[in-house]
Amino acid sequence: MSNVAQFQGWYDTARTWFAIIPPIVCPVTLFVNAPFGRFTPSQSSILLVDGIKSWIVMELVSPLTFMYTYAKAPLSATPAPVHLNDPRTVLSALFLLHYLNRAIISPLRTPSRSKSHIIVPAFAVVFNLINGALMGTYLSSPDAAAFLAGAFTRPAFWAGVALWAGGLAGNILHDEVLLDLRRSARAKGKARDDKHKGAQEHYAVPHGYLYALVSYPNYLCEWCEWIGFALAAAPLPSLASLPALLASLSPPWLFVLSEVLLMLPRAYKGHQWYLRRFPDYPKERKAVVPFVF
C-alpha cells in the first residue's frame, strides 16, 4: 500500500470520528461543567494550571500541526502551494491569522485568567492536534485543489472570506469588552491576587455591541468566522442521508460542527450562571443566538 493510500485511510477514519464524537459529547457537557473560567474549581489543587500559559500551549498545537501537514501534503503527489495567487494559500493564511490572535496576541493581552484543571488543556491538545492535521491535509489535497480551482473569480469564495473577516473582527471586539472588564477590576483591586490563585476572576456584566442581544457574542462571531471559512474552502456537505453526510463532511465543515456542538452547552450554562449571579442581568438577552437561544 502506498503512503498516499495509507494516509487516505487515516484521513477518512479521523474525519468520521471527528463527526461522531462532538454530537456525543454535546449533551454530556450540558450536565458536566468544563473546569475552567467561571467554572474553575474553587479548591486549590496541583491539577490546576496557569490559565494563560496553558491556553497558549494548547492553542499553538493547531497552527503548528496545520503547517506541518500542509507542508507535507500527505494526500498529494505534489507540494502544497505557498504563493498568494493560489486560494489554498490564502485560506491557509486566514487559518493561521486566526490562531495568531487566539494563541498568542489575545492571551498575552489578557491581564489575568482563572486557572484551569489540567484535563481541559489535555483534551484541547488532542482536539487541536486532530483538527490542525485534518485542515492541513485537506487544504493541501487534490480535492481542495479541484474545488478551489478558479475560486478567485467566484463571488461565493469572497463572500465566505468576508464573513470570516467579519467574524474575526467581531470576536476580537467582544473579547476586548471582556478584557476591559478585567482591566477595570484589576485597577480597582477586585481581581484575585497572588494569595488566592485558585480563586475565580472578578466577573461583571458586559455591555455594548452584540452583548445587548446575547451573553456570548464572541462565540457567535467565531461560529460566523468558521462558517465563512468553510463556505470559501469546501463544498457543502450532502444531507441526502447520514452515510452521505459523513462521507461529504470535509474538515472545514467538521470544524464548524465541532465548534457549535462543543461551545453551545458552555454558552447556555454560562448564560444561566449570569442570570443566577447578577439579579439585574438583562432578561431579554439570549445565550448565544439573538432572539432564538
Side-chain angles (χ1 to χ4, degrees), residues 18 21-27 29 34 36 127 219 223 254-267:
F18 218 53
I21 292 177
I24 296 173
V25 173
C26 177
T29 54
F36 72 101
F127 177 90
Y219 285 20
W223 295 349
L254 282 171
F255 193 18
V256 172
L257 177 70
S258 299
E259 286 249 312
V260 173
L261 290 178
L262 297 178
M263 295 166 71
L264 191 66
R266 179 128 185 128

Side-chain angles (χ1 to χ4, degrees), residues 126-193:
V126 174
F127 177 90
N128 286 327
L129 186 69
I130 297 172
N131 186 60
L134 283 174
M135 200 73 75
T137 300
Y138 169 75
L139 283 179
S140 63
S141 71
D143 286 345
F147 175 76
L148 291 167
F152 286 159
T153 64
R154 297 198 297 262
F157 175 84
W158 294 112
V161 171
L163 182 57
W164 174 90
L168 177 63
N171 195 327
I172 294 172
L173 176 67
H174 292 96
D175 276 349
E176 191 65 24
V177 172
L178 299 179
L179 293 181
D180 281 342
L181 289 176
R182 293 184 184 180
R183 295 183 190 111
S184 177
R186 168 160 285 199
K188 295 176 181 178
K190 292 181 180 179
R192 62 173 171 82
D193 56 29

Side-chain angles (χ1 to χ4, degrees), residues 1-12 14-15 64-81 88 92 129-144 251:
M1 182 182 293
S2 68
N3 287 337
V4 171
Q6 288 178 329
F7 273 106
Q8 185 69 55
W10 169 86
Y11 175 73
D12 291 339
R15 282 195 306 114
L64 292 175
T65 308
F66 173 87
M67 288 188 290
Y68 177 80
T69 52
Y70 184 80
K72 288 292 186 181
L75 299 184
S76 178
T78 57
R88 290 181 290 167
S92 297
L129 186 69
I130 297 172
N131 186 60
L134 283 174
M135 200 73 75
T137 300
Y138 169 75
L139 283 179
S140 63
S141 71
D143 286 345

